[in-house]
Amino acid sequence: MIVESNVPLQHHNTFGIVAKARTLVRVRSQEDVHAMLAHPEVAAEPKFVLGGGSNIVLTGDVKPVVLKVEVAGKRIVEDGAKAVVVEFGAGENWHEAVTWTIEQGLGGLENLALIPGTVGASPVQNIGAYGVELQDRFESLDAIDLQTGREFTLDAAQCAFGYRDSVFKHSPARDSDFGLAGRALILRVRMRLPKPWKPVLGYIDLQRKMTESGVKTPDARQIYDWVCAVRGAKLPDPRVIGNAGSFFKNPTVTPEQCQDIIAREPNIVHYPMPDGTMKLAAGWLIDACGWKGKSVGQAGVYEKQALVLVNRGGATGGEVVTLARAIQTSVYERFGIRLEPEPVVV
Ligand code: EPU
């Protein structure tokens, strides 16, 4: 186990915010967690689990011990008649894991290409894009309890997936004993890729790609390429412009609330959900309030997608939070809707 002090985190958060970890432990296996729990200074300290840092806003140096998850590994664990099950170490880069499945000739994760972050963070957020959510392909995961060192495996039901939500985002203290936030460190994640492979092409941007290219029966690699192209065209590459993807969740409202808003705002982008509620495009709401291209200090609203906040160079976490609050206020004042942030403010 390696324990480091005063470690710069600028390259460990996709916003590229300058901050330090007072103490950082690299976790490459469960043995590292056991060693950490036996460590005289580190064991009793509060902990903060860091994956690819694609879903956090750092507002200062991180005081809890940062556990940087670097568990590696990519393998096929089962090749059955109905599905292939693949397993990845939690520290693997998500996009590289998706690319690996495509190179193995395995379809199923192509709609989730180019999402920043690590495999271990993917179930926390229940990442989703272009009509597929992680929960649609999830098989199980192995995790370790940071208080007891006990290892355990969870299936999809136990992960309690919701829209950009899971058991890992809820704290037992706050949410009536439900939740593993701050308690579990994810070691490995398994995904079930069903056979035969079926493309998911309902999303408008993919429909457009089919029309433009004339390709009517794309394979998984073709969809992977399209998803990379679509994302590249409207989402900033965090290696070039710091960001954490969508900053807010798309809010849901009742059909009555939606009708009321449509009466005032006929162009509002909305989608009916299977449970009867209506989902509104948060990017549209923010755009309609005139935020595209605006800034607070060096934190800004991306010019091509108002749902994405960016670091224009040297932004502080405080600037990002101030900008986010100003956006929430103006969307609430105009539409009566409270936007909920996706990233965790640390
Ligand atoms: N829109 C605007 N102005 C904007 C941005 C969007 O009018 O500035 C409109 C678009 O024209 C479109 C609608 O809003 O009609 C939805 O926009 P988009 O298709 O870009 O998708 P989104 O709802 O903004 C969601 C996910 C993304 C995911 C895409 C594709 C959330 C919070 N975001 O974005 O996920 O990639 O759909 O499936 O659910 C992420 O979570 O970090 C993320 C990038």
Side-chain angles (χ1 to χ4, degrees), residues 248-298:
F248 299 100
K249 295 183 189 180
N250 284 328
T252 45
V253 294
T254 64
E256 294 73 33
Q257 281 172 307
C258 193
Q259 279 313 318
D260 185 48
I261 299 173
I262 292 169
R264 286 180 282 132
E265 311 273 350
N267 297 327
I268 193 161
V269 178
H270 58 285
Y271 323 90
M273 300 305 288
D275 65 358
T277 59
M278 299 297 259
K279 186 170 269 190
L280 306 177
W284 188 91
L285 299 172
I286 299 166
D287 197 1
C289 292
W291 279 101
K292 230 180 222 175
K294 296 273 170 60
S295 299
V296 166
Q298 287 301 98

Side-chain angles (χ1 to χ4, degrees), residues 126-140:
N126 185 21
I127 57 172
Y130 309 104
V132 176
E133 281 183 317
L134 183 94
Q135 65 174 337
D136 303 327
R137 302 286 178 265
F138 182 83
E139 168 74 4
S140 59

Side-chain angles (χ1 to χ4, degrees), residues 202-259:
Y203 201 86
I204 181 115
D205 288 346
L206 297 178
Q207 290 288 318
R208 208 172 282 139
K209 286 284 181 198
M210 286 173 76
T211 313
E212 278 166 19
S213 66
V215 177
K216 292 194 180 64
T217 53
D219 61 9
R221 179 172 280 278
Q222 176 66 81
I223 297 171
Y224 168 93
D225 288 340
W226 283 343
V227 167
C228 291
V230 170
R231 288 188 79 93
K234 65 175 167 189
L235 295 170
D237 179 347
R239 286 168 302 185
V240 183
I241 305 172
N243 75 92
S246 301
F247 198 90
F248 299 100
K249 295 183 189 180
N250 284 328
T252 45
V253 294
T254 64
E256 294 73 33
Q257 281 172 307
C258 193
Q259 279 313 318

Side-chain angles (χ1 to χ4, degrees), residues 45-73:
E45 293 290 315
K47 321 269 183 329
F48 176 74
V49 179
L50 179 65
S54 59
N55 207 43
I56 53 170
V57 182
L58 297 174
T59 53
D61 290 346
V62 183
K63 294 179 192 80
V65 174
V66 173
L67 303 178
K68 177 84 178 70
V69 182
E70 296 182 349
V71 181

Side-chain angles (χ1 to χ4, degrees), residues 36-170:
M36 189 260 310
L37 290 176
H39 193 282
E41 281 139 46
V42 174
E45 293 290 315
K47 321 269 183 329
F48 176 74
V49 179
L50 179 65
S54 59
N55 207 43
I56 53 170
V57 182
L58 297 174
T59 53
D61 290 346
V62 183
K63 294 179 192 80
V65 174
V66 173
L67 303 178
K68 177 84 178 70
V69 182
E70 296 182 349
V71 181
K74 301 185 186 87
R75 63 184 186 124
I76 294 172
V77 289
E78 190 187 312
D79 192 351
K82 293 198 175 148
V84 175
V85 178
V86 289
E87 181 186 86
F88 301 111
E92 294 287 347
N93 173 276
W94 172 262
H95 177 66
E96 284 169 19
V98 173
T99 306
W100 180 84
T101 60
I102 297 295
E103 283 164 358
Q104 308 298 308
L106 300 171
L109 299 178
E110 56 282 352
N111 293 51
L112 301 175
L114 224 54
I115 295 181
T118 54
V119 169
S122 65
V124 178
Q125 271 289 93
N126 185 21
I127 57 172
Y130 309 104
V132 176
E133 281 183 317
L134 183 94
Q135 65 174 337
D136 303 327
R137 302 286 178 265
F138 182 83
E139 168 74 4
S140 59
L141 60 78
D142 301 330
I144 186 161
D145 186 316
L146 289 172
Q147 284 163 19
T148 63
R150 191 179 63 87
E151 286 171 45
F152 57 96
T153 298
L154 298 183
D155 63 17
Q158 291 166 314
C159 288
F161 290 123
Y163 168 57
R164 297 293 190 276
D165 195 29
S166 74
V167 71
F168 303 103
K169 283 186 119 179
H170 294 262

